[in-house]
Amino acid sequence: MREFVVAVVGATGAVGRMMLQVLEERNFPIKDLRLFASPKSKGLKLPFKGEEIEVEVLEETQSFRGIDIALFSAGAARSLAYAPLFARDGAVVIDNSSAWRMDPEVPLVVPEVNPHAVAQHKNKGIIANPNCSTIQMVVALKPLHDVAKIKRIVVSTYQSVSGAGQKAIEELMNQVRAWCAGEILPPPKNLPQTIAFNCIPQIDVFLPNRYTKEEMKMIEETRKIMEEPELRVTATTVRVPVFYSHAEAVNIETEKKLTVEEAIEILNKAPGVIVLDDPENKIYPLQIEVAGRDEVFVGRIREDFSVECGLNMWIVADNLRKGAATNAVQIAEILIQKYL
Ligand code: NAP
Ligand code: 3JN
């Protein structure tokens, strides 16, 4: 089997470290692995398959020749600047940031939903990985859309701190420690407000339309991935004091009526979805239980009695795995199986 030269850009971050773990777990055929991060990480070594690999500092003057696939998670500014340089030197870039997601020439891919879009990597040498909250929602909703045609989506998210990076994980830990010790809480630095024992209805910055950027990402990305540019979607995104996994309360209105039983049957057959829905026995997806898993979990499926054809559900996935690293590596697997 052919093996590939793979680069991970942003390898020291929460997503980058998970990329290494997922590449190793899935035994991705790697000939050589190159790791890149900021000057802060110069000399740092990261473990991969029993070896220690030294992190390189990302510099614009470098040559990136010889790299087949580059997995980027070093923020949108680095993706804007460096993805074209890696692509120029022959790599296909799979980018986890928002930098390229809405570029009409760049495919935005969730393998369970629109794997065919990977073919468009030929345009710019770049494939975009959607936002974590979008990924888990479309994995669960696309199979329902295929049967009943979704007319409108209303989503509220309950997003873990790991979505905001390694420093936000430490921020929640430090605030909880201080609270338990009866100390004054350290002021928020990486999140907009205190996160310990609190929910923050702000993820990313506010836009002139009063939505946050995270909310608008969910709306626009969902339309692009589902290839439904007019789909009505609205979102409220909330940070909650949970370390790993994002949860979403989702309401859909469909053209054709779906009973709860029909929806469960469709989701039971859907790729990458696990239905956990036995409320009488207190069975529904929980963030702490879904952490570490690659599937999207759906539960609390029930009719929305306020409209003719509507359903409510609770969708949970590990944001660093299916929401980022696993989705990116699945895209890389399609690339090597079909295109490289
Ligand atoms: P993080 O834990 O803060 O890690 C940031 C990574 O970027 C680190 O490896 C950091 O290297 C690197 N970096 C920062 N500045 C750099 C520079 N000038 N040159 C090279 N590398 C640089 O953040 P994260 O949670 O892993 O997220 C990283 C990015 O992934 C986000 O900004 C976002 O674009 C994307 N992301 C996507 C999703 C998704 O929904 N698919 C979810 C989360 C994040 P050092 O350690 O050396 O500073
Ligand atoms: O906050 C979350 O739960 C997801 C965060 C994603 C994120 C964080 C910083 C920058 C992104 C993203 O993936 O959209 C970005 C970005 O690339 O703009």
Side-chain angles (χ1 to χ4, degrees), residues 75-76 96-99 101 129-133 159-164 203-204 213-214 217 221 239 246 319:
N96 261 282
S97 83
S98 58
R101 288 179 192 149
N129 206 56
N131 180 274
C132 39
S133 303
Q159 297 182 218
S160 64
V161 292
S162 55
I203 296 183
D204 211 327
K213 212 166 162 188
E214 182 81 351
K217 284 175 189 172
E221 293 174 20
R239 186 77 65 200
H246 290 356
N319 54 299

